[in-house]
Amino acid sequence: MNNNWNIETQAVQGAYEAGNAQARVLPLYQSTTYRYDTCEELASVFDLEQDTPMYTRLANPTTDAFEKKIAMMEGGVGALATSSGMAATSIAILNILKSGDHILAASTIYGGSFTLFTTTFKDLGIEVTLFDPDIEKEEILKLAKPNTKLIFGETIGNPLVNVLDFEKFSTVAKELDIPFMVDNTFATPFLCKPLELGANIVLHSTSKYIDGHASCLGGIIVDGGNFNWDNGKFPCLVEPDESYHGVSYVKNFGASAFIVKARANVMRNMGMTPSPFNSFLTNLGAETLHLRMERHCENALKMAEYLKNHEMCSWVKYPGLEGDKYHDLAKKYLPKGASGVLTFGVKGGRDAGRKFINALKLVALVTHVSDVRSCVLQPASTTHRQLSDEELISCGVSPDMIRFSVGIENVDDLIADFEQAFQCAK
């Protein structure tokens, strides 16, 4: 495999190479277990001396090839696939944080992540300070504490479609000497490579664009291999792990310490393993990621321009739209396009928005987002419904907000569907 391939070639052929007379397409290894000839050989696998599968909770050949493909596309040293995007976030953070630690996180993150940070992590003794990602660097630094161990954000926020200022966040991370973790789900490695912009760990809900067909749940963690874990703040990666033969991940695995520990320690103990079949399907989806993202971006921009000029639309937000608050950041960090999600409001507020959604015929009301089929929902009554009004406001979610995930259909058909739905909302 050639890591110097362009990302389009990596998507199609990265990480799997068929031998003579072998399957041209990555095979599905639907097995939980793997046979070994000797006790000594299997022992070397348990000791992390041999990189071969022993049990699918930890490794599977199909999943392994998929992990290597995404790591290649993101430019990381390794990756770990998980059973869902939320599993990826949980494993990545629990891999380095413990009770008594503190996280700085953008307040505009996905509602599920918001709840994870403010409830589950709180119950585990991990403190989280949420802040407006648009505040100045000096204001973010004032929020840091002696026990701050991580700064977290999303390349494109869900559902606000705000664009992260990588330069500012990476500068904060460097000044605090802490890792910078980014959820790159909406952008995908085709539109943005956070590791080249100062991030250290990248997450994806592969259930979204990477799969692209709403066929299977999944997540993935990509290790940039570009953070010094031996800085005195992360003894879990440096000191001997007594639960795993006293291994020191930094000493034994160097730049790959984070991702090896995530697999050998957290995944081993907590599960959250992807099905090999889901890895197989998601890998197939990833082969056309670059083609789909081009159409998603093209259609989303056309729909944003259409909505901006529509008499029934009170407002529209899309970073690719000229005049949008985040347009300059989108041009800087997302030169290939601003992805396929936008938000807007229907004149008449929440009730008019519901009438509009109920009248749609081609575009579906679903809780999912970011696949080939266009869909909508009202975040305040779905993904963010567990948040209080105050929390909604802090997240920037207005009651009339409609999130529109623009698919790859013919844009004229989408506009026609919106036109008839707007008539019903009057």
Side-chain angles (χ1 to χ4, degrees), residues 166-185:
F166 279 90
E167 183 178 355
K168 179 173 65 180
F169 270 60
S170 62
T171 299
V172 169
K174 287 181 175 64
E175 291 193 19
L176 296 176
D177 198 16
I178 59 174
F180 173 22
M181 188 177 293
V182 178
D183 185 327
N184 198 35
T185 296

Side-chain angles (χ1 to χ4, degrees), residues 292-343:
R292 290 184 284 104
M293 292 312 297
E294 288 176 347
R295 177 57 70 87
H296 281 298
C297 294
E298 177 186 340
N299 279 0
L301 181 56
K302 288 180 179 178
M303 291 303 299
E305 291 170 341
Y306 155 77
L307 288 167
K308 183 179 181 180
N309 297 309
H310 201 285
E311 62 177 8
M312 284 293 293
C313 183
S314 55
W315 58 269
V316 59
K317 294 180 181 179
Y318 180 64
L321 194 63
E322 194 77 37
D324 186 87
K325 178 181 179 181
Y326 297 99
H327 187 61
D328 288 342
L329 286 176
K331 288 195 297 183
K332 181 177 181 178
Y333 299 122
L334 301 163
K336 294 181 182 178
S339 196
V341 180
L342 59 88
T343 60

Side-chain angles (χ1 to χ4, degrees), residues 249-266:
Y249 296 101
V250 166
K251 180 180 178 179
N252 289 68
F253 301 102
S256 300
F258 175 91
I259 206 68
V260 173
K261 181 178 181 293
R263 185 186 304 276
N265 184 291
V266 187

Side-chain angles (χ1 to χ4, degrees), residues 124-356:
L124 293 175
I126 299 172
E127 183 186 2
V128 180
T129 297
L130 296 159
F131 63 91
D132 181 347
D134 293 336
I135 63 176
E136 295 299 320
K137 180 194 74 172
E138 290 72 21
E139 295 180 71
I140 302 175
L141 288 169
K142 289 178 182 178
L143 299 174
K145 303 180 179 184
N147 59 338
T148 301
K149 299 292 182 66
L150 178 72
I151 185 167
F152 184 95
E154 294 177 347
T155 302
I156 302 175
N158 178 11
L160 294 188
V161 294
N162 56 301
V163 179
L164 193 69
D165 188 337
F166 279 90
E167 183 178 355
K168 179 173 65 180
F169 270 60
S170 62
T171 299
V172 169
K174 287 181 175 64
E175 291 193 19
L176 296 176
D177 198 16
I178 59 174
F180 173 22
M181 188 177 293
V182 178
D183 185 327
N184 198 35
T185 296
F186 272 14
T188 81
F190 178 68
L191 298 180
C192 182
K193 291 190 175 184
L195 297 177
E196 296 180 357
L197 300 171
N200 306 112
I201 307 296
V202 177
L203 309 176
H204 289 275
S205 169
T206 59
S207 317
K208 310 303 190 295
Y209 286 123
I210 291 179
D211 165 35
H213 299 83
S215 63
C216 45
L217 290 175
I220 199 162
I221 307 164
V222 180
D223 181 0
N226 57 354
F227 184 79
N228 175 28
W229 299 107
D230 193 8
N231 64 355
K233 297 184 178 183
F234 301 94
C236 62
L237 283 162
V238 180
E239 295 176 358
D241 182 353
E242 299 305 330
S243 74
Y244 218 115
H245 317 303
V247 65
S248 165
Y249 296 101
V250 166
K251 180 180 178 179
N252 289 68
F253 301 102
S256 300
F258 175 91
I259 206 68
V260 173
K261 181 178 181 293
R263 185 186 304 276
N265 184 291
V266 187
M267 179 66 85
R268 178 195 65 181
N269 295 335
M270 301 187 71
M272 298 190 269
T273 308
S275 157
F277 187 50
N278 280 6
S279 295
F280 174 79
L281 291 177
T282 308
N283 183 72
L284 285 179
E287 292 177 356
T288 60
L289 177 65
H290 52 294
L291 299 176
R292 290 184 284 104
M293 292 312 297
E294 288 176 347
R295 177 57 70 87
H296 281 298
C297 294
E298 177 186 340
N299 279 0
L301 181 56
K302 288 180 179 178
M303 291 303 299
E305 291 170 341
Y306 155 77
L307 288 167
K308 183 179 181 180
N309 297 309
H310 201 285
E311 62 177 8
M312 284 293 293
C313 183
S314 55
W315 58 269
V316 59
K317 294 180 181 179
Y318 180 64
L321 194 63
E322 194 77 37
D324 186 87
K325 178 181 179 181
Y326 297 99
H327 187 61
D328 288 342
L329 286 176
K331 288 195 297 183
K332 181 177 181 178
Y333 299 122
L334 301 163
K336 294 181 182 178
S339 196
V341 180
L342 59 88
T343 60
F344 67 97
V346 178
K347 288 183 179 178
R350 185 196 296 256
D351 291 339
R354 285 175 177 167
K355 290 179 182 178
F356 169 81

